[in-house]
Amino acid sequence: MSELPALIEDLALILVVAGFVTLLFKRLKQPLVLGYIVAGFLVSPHMPYTASVVDMSSIHLWADIGVMFLLFSLGLDFSFKKILKMGASPVISVVSIIFFMAMLGMGVGQLFGWSRMDCIFLGGMLAMSSTTIIYKAFDDLGLRQQQFAGLVMSVLILEDILAIVMMVMLSAIASGTGASGSDMVESVLKIVFFLVLWLVVGIFAVPLFLRSVRKLINDEVLLIVAIGLCCAMAVFSTKVGFSSAFGAFIMGSILAETVEAEHIEHLVEPVKNLFGAIFFVSVGMLVDPQILIDYALPIVTLVLTIIVGQAVLGSLSFILGGESLKSAMRCGFSMAQIGEFSFIIASLGLSLGVIGDFLYPVVVAVSVITTFLTPYMIRLATPVYNALEPRLPAKVIRALNHLSISHPESTEQSKWRQLLTQMGLNTLVYSILSSAVIAVMFMFVRPFFARFDDILSVTVFSHTLSFSDVLTGILTLTFIAPFLRAMVMKKNRSEEFRALWAESNRNRLPLIFTIIVRAVIAVAFVFSVVSHLTNIRPAIIIVLGMGILLLIVFSRRIKRRSILMERLFINNLRSREIQAEAHGDKRPIYEARLLDRDVHIADFLVPPTSQWTGQTLKQLQLGHKYGVHVSSILRGQRRLNIPDGDSIIFPGDKLQVIGSDQQLDNLRQALEREVIADDYDIVKHEMKLRQLIIADNSPFVGKTLQQSGIRSQYSCMVVGLEEGKENLSPVKPDYRFQQGDIIWVVGEQQALNSLFS
């Protein structure tokens, strides 16, 4: 019999050990990530007393796949629309946190004399808090419905996105000769170009494809299609110089805007869990006990740097984002740990060969320690605030509590800001799309048509153009025409444009100037296409470009194409939102307009075992007991807004409740506490079917079924009368039992014993 490959033996060892260790960590109510790391440490070659993995290279390959699926799942749970709706507050907070913590990390690295790349990567690792660990801690401590927890999760989402960007930039820095300013700018521009291009094209094409094959897709096919798209984008991402993880995240973000997003997320979760577990186990394999002993001082220093840095500078960052001192401290203290993205950044540094082997186990040790301390740091925030607040001058407290990023501005300034932002975004998107089309046409289509240059040539202004030049130019201008028209004409009839035009004559010249600037950019694209195909003088090309642009602007066919493409894109982008509205799952608009900083809205799911089920809101008296207001009840695909006192609570209902943090926390505790206790004797309630013969001395002789009390007194049910037929005869309530009747009765064992006795 042939032997098993080493990879199968290694997987068996990894998964068995990981299973037992994570069961232990689950019992201890610790994050499973730590369990995986400990399991990796136990099966690593550094542990001489246990069985160890043989084929490390294959395990690292599977771990890379795990990173890809982790980021794919992160993308599925991410929405760019949510980021845009967050406003500037979380953006300011997350940028400040990353800057402060990265500087601290690089400073600590330089303090210990580590290399330049070690310091840069260490700064990136210390800047990334763990979304998984913080979410788990909030859940365990019952804080998920509180307002500061929602703000922390918003910042963590942004932090994860910036971590992707940071990974791309670190790769560019590591592969280059240095981290010069021009290299950094080039890397950022490259990221922005491909990010916008992939998102726009993906959101346009992928939902269209999924809709066209929806009738053919079941769970199995959808899983294969989703993973196939993920891997395809990962491959394409590596071809243009980015990591496979970046491409996987982008495809996840594209699929997140489809109506199948939640279904795909559910299907991919087991795959993600499997490969993610292998990744975290591989993290534990790199922990060398000797390195931990040799670098004990740096580990302790880094732990203190994270705890103190997030407590002080993290809180300051949230204050800069417009939070009160108390809320900012609760947010800052909550983020005092590092986790999965720190491991991913460390893996990146190792794979590129630019960081020392010691840095990975050091970061893992720091993550383990700070993870264990996370619940204590979250609990510590309020006592520290209570001790600090009386010692600060009243003026400082008022200044901190009233610090806000929002500044009053005139209505006219607001309209200008909105209009210029929308115009700038449109110009950027359509410029990227036009550039991509031009690049594809000149790199792939033109060489293909060059085979037929002998067939046709055209003379323009005494210059001869080949067949490939003519056809490529016509097709390129045809494809980019809708983009150029939208670039020039979009927002020229918007409410902001018309309002500014009507309000003051001073606005008209700047408004005309915005049209001219966009027209110049559009002509520049036409100029670039024509100039690459012919040696005609630039002045003639500019005049020709202006004429082509006028034809594009006034063409009704191009206008229709432009409008249809934009409507299709918007519908694809809003498809998940439209589905949520149809199912009653969309959060109310007024949620962001609650003025009191301590009042917000939270969701509560009524469990099947809740004692509240079957009761009306009037009977529950939630407002009287807890001071909260139930604004909506979500039941299946229905939404019941402003329910009255006669509204009944059903199992599985989702209650949208308005209140303060304390009020919502009291409601959560009551909902968790007031449940039907588990029935530990459930096996005694097994239903059994028995045959009962009515004897001559039976008390049921001469009585009707209703008079017998079989149901009311003995809690049993007569299911039929046996009369020698193929099927049992039904027994009506007025049927009188006679001697010799054979009836079949169903009930619990104890009830049947009482009946037969």
Side-chain angles (χ1 to χ4, degrees):
M1 185 175 179
S2 60
E3 294 184 0
L4 282 175
L7 176 61
I8 304 299
E9 296 180 0
D10 290 341
L11 280 178
L13 177 64
I14 286 173
L15 296 178
V16 169
V17 174
F20 280 108
V21 174
T22 49
L23 283 173
L24 175 62
F25 273 68
K26 191 75 172 177
R27 181 68 179 269
L28 299 174
K29 297 183 178 180
Q30 296 298 325
L32 296 185
V33 172
L34 291 181
Y36 294 137
I37 293 173
V38 172
F41 178 71
L42 293 177
V43 301
S44 69
H46 304 296
M47 281 294 289
Y49 306 108
T50 59
S52 60
V53 168
V54 177
D55 188 1
M56 289 289 291
S57 60
S58 296
I59 298 301
H60 288 314
L61 174 62
W62 283 49
D64 292 338
I65 299 174
V67 173
M68 189 173 71
F69 281 121
L70 282 172
L71 293 180
F72 179 61
S73 297
L74 176 66
L76 284 171
D77 198 34
F78 169 78
S79 172
F80 281 95
K81 298 197 298 293
K82 292 180 183 178
I83 298 298
L84 296 175
K85 292 177 182 177
M86 285 180 184
S89 177
V91 175
I92 291 176
S93 299
V94 74
V95 170
S96 303
I97 289 172
I98 290 178
F99 174 77
F100 289 143
M101 294 307 297
M103 292 298 105
L104 279 178
M106 287 189 285
V108 172
Q110 291 177 352
L111 180 66
F112 288 104
W114 295 344
S115 69
R116 183 163 171 263
M117 292 307 297
D118 284 338
C119 294
I120 292 175
F121 272 79
L122 179 64
M125 296 176 211
L126 263 60
M128 296 293 112
S129 297
S130 172
T131 305
T132 305
I133 294 168
I134 294 176
Y135 185 89
K136 178 70 167 58
F138 283 159
D139 201 29
D140 292 343
L141 297 174
L143 300 174
R144 246 183 341 123
Q145 286 84 14
Q146 298 205 7
Q147 188 180 22
F148 88 95
L151 179 61
V152 171
M153 296 310 296
S154 299
V155 167
L156 288 171
I157 291 173
L158 286 170
E159 198 171 78
D160 291 345
I161 304 311
L162 292 179
I164 304 293
V165 178
M166 182 183 295
M167 288 171 58
V168 176
M169 295 181 66
L170 288 173
S171 299
I173 294 171
S175 60
T177 56
S180 64
S182 59
D183 292 336
M184 297 285 283
V185 171
E186 183 180 351
S187 299
V188 171
L189 292 177
K190 186 178 179 182
I191 293 170
V192 171
F193 178 85
F194 282 103
L195 187 64
V196 174
L197 177 63
W198 288 340
L199 285 173
V200 172
V201 175
I203 292 173
F204 183 86
V206 172
L208 197 63
F209 165 72
L210 291 178
R211 277 201 300 270
S212 64
V213 298
R214 185 169 295 163
K215 295 180 180 179
L216 306 175
I217 287 184
N218 56 17
D219 286 358
E220 180 181 357
V221 175
L222 183 59
L223 174 63
I224 299 302
V225 168
I227 293 179
L229 291 172
C230 168
C231 295
M233 182 58 81
V235 171
F236 190 67
S237 177
T238 57
K239 294 296 185 182
V240 297
F242 299 134
S243 66
S244 59
F246 181 68
F249 172 79
I250 294 300
M251 181 50 66
S253 303
I254 293 170
L255 291 173
E257 304 301 342
T258 65
V259 295
E260 292 85 2
E262 293 182 3
H263 193 187
I264 293 173
E265 189 175 1
H266 175 72
L267 294 174
V268 171
E269 187 173 6
V271 182
K272 177 203 73 173
N273 291 339
L274 173 62
F275 286 100
I278 295 175
F279 166 69
F280 289 116
V281 169
S282 71
V283 170
M285 289 181 189
L286 295 175
V287 178
D288 187 347
Q290 187 59 46
I291 290 180
L292 300 184
I293 295 173
D294 296 340
Y295 288 86
L297 180 59
I299 290 172
V300 174
T301 305
L302 289 172
V303 169
L304 293 176
T305 300
I306 292 171
I307 292 175
V308 177
Q310 288 286 10
V312 177
L313 298 176
S315 299
L316 176 61
S317 299
F318 281 99
I319 290 175
L320 294 175
E323 291 299 304
S324 65
L325 177 60
K326 182 177 181 179
S327 177
M329 290 182 66
R330 297 184 78 184
C331 294
F333 277 62
S334 300
M335 300 184 67
Q337 82 291 117
I338 58 175
E340 56 273 9
F341 259 114
S342 301
F343 305 148
I344 294 173
I345 292 174
S347 299
L348 175 66
L350 280 180
S351 65
L352 296 173
V354 295
I355 65 173
D357 293 336
F358 71 92
L359 195 55
Y360 204 127
V362 166
V363 169
V364 172
V366 171
S367 173
V368 171
I369 296 172
T370 54
T371 297
F372 278 116
L373 295 176
T374 295
Y376 302 101
M377 289 295 295
I378 295 174
R379 291 193 186 101
L380 190 63
T382 301
V384 171
Y385 170 79
N386 292 335
L388 179 65
E389 194 261 350
R391 292 171 173 78
L392 291 176
K395 291 183 179 179
V396 175
I397 295 293
R398 283 197 300 270
L400 292 175
N401 287 337
H402 288 86
L403 182 64
S404 175
I405 60 169
S406 60
H407 302 286
E409 59 181 349
S410 67
T411 304
E412 183 174 337
Q413 289 175 331
S414 176
K415 290 176 183 176
W416 270 112
R417 178 176 57 82
Q418 293 177 11
L419 181 63
L420 293 178
T421 300
Q422 293 169 357
M423 286 182 173
L425 182 61
N426 287 333
T427 303
L428 173 66
V429 171
Y430 290 121
S431 296
I432 290 175
L433 291 175
S434 300
S435 301
V437 171
I438 293 172
V440 169
M441 295 299 294
F442 278 74
M443 291 175 62
F444 301 104
V445 178
R446 189 183 184 189
F448 175 78
F449 288 143
R451 306 173 186 176
F452 310 101
D453 281 344
D454 296 335
I455 299 176
L456 176 67
S457 60
V458 179
T459 302
V460 179
F461 296 108
S462 70
H463 291 272
T464 302
L465 300 180
S466 64
F467 171 79
S468 59
D469 291 339
V470 173
L471 198 53
T472 301
I474 293 174
L475 289 177
T476 303
L477 292 176
T478 301
F479 289 146
I480 69 172
F483 304 145
L484 299 183
R485 188 193 183 283
M487 184 190 302
V488 176
M489 302 302 294
K490 186 71 176 170
K491 297 300 176 183
N492 291 349
R493 297 179 180 273
S494 64
E495 294 181 5
E496 295 86 0
F497 192 100
R498 288 182 293 179
L500 289 169
W501 184 276
E503 283 176 5
S504 173
N505 291 334
R506 294 180 304 170
N507 294 332
R508 297 186 177 182
L509 188 59
L511 290 172
I512 294 173
F513 182 72
T514 62
I515 300 175
I516 294 174
V517 169
R518 287 176 287 150
V520 169
I521 296 174
V523 170
F525 278 103
V526 178
F527 180 89
S528 67
V529 173
V530 177
S531 63
H532 277 81
L533 300 175
T534 180
N535 295 322
I536 299 175
R537 285 183 294 177
I540 298 177
I541 297 178
I542 292 174
V543 174
L544 182 63
M546 294 175 64
I548 293 174
L549 182 62
L550 289 175
L551 291 176
I552 291 173
V553 168
F554 291 105
S555 170
R556 296 197 174 191
R557 177 177 295 181
I558 295 176
K559 178 180 179 180
R560 284 196 301 271
R561 284 174 54 201
S562 176
I563 293 174
L564 287 175
M565 291 173 62
E566 185 171 349
R567 284 179 180 173
L568 180 59
F569 177 81
I570 296 298
N571 287 336
N572 289 345
L573 190 63
R574 294 188 64 245
S575 58
R576 196 172 179 184
E577 185 178 345
I578 294 170
Q579 184 194 44
E581 291 177 356
H583 291 176
D585 295 334
K586 189 180 177 183
R587 298 294 290 271
I589 296 175
Y590 66 81
E591 178 183 6
R593 300 180 182 175
L594 295 173
L595 299 179
D596 191 337
R597 69 170 68 246
D598 197 34
V599 175
H600 62 109
I601 190 168
D603 292 345
F604 294 89
L605 184 66
V606 180
T609 57
S610 176
Q611 296 179 6
W612 295 5
T613 58
Q615 298 190 58
T616 64
L617 291 177
K618 186 187 297 182
Q619 292 171 327
L620 293 172
Q621 295 185 331
L622 301 181
H624 176 72
K625 292 179 181 178
Y626 311 107
V628 299
H629 303 277
V630 179
S631 61
S632 301
I633 299 176
L634 277 64
R635 182 175 302 147
Q637 298 184 1
R638 294 180 55 203
R639 172 189 286 273
L640 178 61
N641 291 325
I642 318 299
D644 56 24
D646 295 327
S647 299
I648 301 174
I649 302 299
F650 288 91
D653 279 355
K654 184 186 290 185
L655 309 181
Q656 290 191 339
V657 185
I658 299 173
S660 65
D661 282 343
Q662 187 60 50
Q663 292 168 342
L664 295 173
D665 189 52
N666 293 338
L667 179 68
R668 177 192 60 80
Q669 294 180 24
L671 185 60
E672 294 176 353
R673 183 176 60 251
E674 298 176 14
V675 295
I676 301 171
D678 292 335
D679 187 0
Y680 297 105
D681 296 326
I682 193 169
V683 293
K684 296 181 180 180
H685 299 301
E686 180 185 4
M687 298 286 284
K688 294 187 176 181
L689 182 66
R690 295 279 299 276
Q691 185 187 64
L692 176 62
I693 301 175
I694 306 296
D696 56 353
N697 60 344
S698 172
F700 302 142
V701 174
K703 291 184 179 180
T704 64
L705 175 60
Q706 192 170 6
Q707 293 170 344
S708 67
I710 292 177
R711 178 188 288 269
S712 59
Q713 183 177 348
Y714 298 100
S715 301
C716 296
M717 181 175 65
V718 177
V719 296
L721 176 66
E722 189 171 309
E723 296 180 318
K725 302 176 183 178
E726 183 178 350
N727 298 319
L728 295 176
S729 301
V731 180
K732 297 182 179 179
D734 57 354
Y735 175 79
R736 291 188 182 274
F737 293 112
Q738 301 174 15
Q739 179 184 350
D741 281 348
I742 302 175
I743 60 174
W744 287 87
V745 185
V746 68
E748 296 180 8
Q749 184 62 57
Q750 187 175 359
L752 290 172
N753 292 340
S754 176
L755 174 65
F756 279 78
S757 65

